[in-house]
Amino acid sequence: MSIDTKLRQFLLAVLSITVFCSGCYLTRGVDQWSSTKRDLEKKILKNSDSYDAHYKLGTAYATRVDNFSMPYQFSIPYHWKKKFSRKAIFYLEEAIRIKPESAEAHLALGEVFGTHHINDGVGAIKHTVIAKKLSEKQKNTKGVVQAESNLRALSKKYFSFYLLGFSDIHIPGQL
């Protein structure tokens, strides 16, 4: 066999292995998502006031929009992104209803409101400001830094809303 033939066979073998492994990865992600979703929904059915289950399911839906893998490897349609984002909003709002002093739930909700498929500038800024104030109150430096970073991005994206005076927002449990 010539060197060209051996090189072609080697490259074909490497390509085949790569395609096989990527197919396994995509399938594993779909199975993992459905089992995680199913487990969290069962926890919510058992205990409708489970903060952890609502928060985890809300953040799972929010990250699923960005990490959605279609079998045919095309991008996710816009209406599906919006549907997943609405589900994320529902579960994160429930988590906040259960535990209003949760800075991470407010921060996650602000991020979902700020996505281009939801595009709710007022909601995004409001929940991010609440998350920042709660993180300051809880002495959570990482949360404060993340909220400030998100606020900088939101102030550029929603400049007119940002000037409305969101510093007057009261955090839960404060008069």
Side-chain angles (χ1 to χ4, degrees):
M1 267 200 263
S2 70
I3 294 178
D4 270 352
T5 307
K6 288 182 182 179
L7 182 62
R8 284 183 190 154
Q9 287 178 345
F10 174 74
L11 290 175
L12 184 60
V14 169
L15 182 63
S16 298
I17 291 170
T18 304
V19 169
F20 175 76
C21 290
S22 67
C24 293
Y25 175 75
L26 290 175
T27 305
R28 184 189 62 155
V30 170
D31 291 341
Q32 186 177 359
W33 159 249
S34 60
S35 67
T36 301
K37 179 181 168 235
R38 186 175 39 251
D39 292 344
L40 290 171
E41 286 174 342
K42 283 181 185 177
K43 284 183 183 178
I44 291 172
L45 284 175
K46 287 180 184 175
N47 180 8
S48 61
D49 286 337
S50 171
Y51 166 80
D52 288 334
H54 281 95
Y55 174 73
K56 287 177 183 175
L57 195 53
T59 56
Y61 270 111
T63 55
R64 186 72 178 158
V65 171
D66 298 328
N67 300 332
F68 197 89
S69 58
M70 300 286 283
Y72 47 86
Q73 296 183 358
F74 290 106
S75 68
I76 181 172
Y78 180 79
H79 68 280
W80 278 100
K81 287 183 180 183
K82 197 165 189 168
K83 180 180 178 179
F84 275 49
S85 295
R86 295 262 182 230
K87 287 205 172 238
I89 290 170
F90 171 76
Y91 287 111
L92 289 170
E93 284 178 339
E94 281 298 302
I96 290 170
R97 179 191 62 77
I98 296 165
K99 189 175 172 185
E101 69 281 354
S102 170
E104 62 269 359
H106 282 283
L107 189 64
L109 187 57
E111 289 175 358
V112 173
F113 277 139
T115 59
H116 68 278
H117 22 280
I118 299 298
N119 207 21
D120 180 0
V122 173
I125 295 170
K126 174 186 164 195
H127 284 284
T128 307
V129 167
I130 291 172
K132 180 183 173 195
K133 288 183 177 186
L134 285 170
S135 294
E136 288 171 347
K137 182 179 176 184
Q138 297 163 0
K139 295 178 178 39
N140 178 358
T141 310
K142 185 178 177 182
V144 172
V145 170
Q146 182 64 45
E148 286 176 349
S149 174
N150 289 4
L151 282 172
R152 279 192 297 278
L154 291 170
S155 69
K156 292 176 185 172
K157 186 174 181 181
Y158 303 108
F159 182 71
S160 58
F161 291 136
Y162 193 75
L163 296 175
L164 293 175
F166 285 93
S167 60
D168 296 338
I169 294 175
H170 296 288
I171 60 174
Q174 182 185 25
L175 297 177

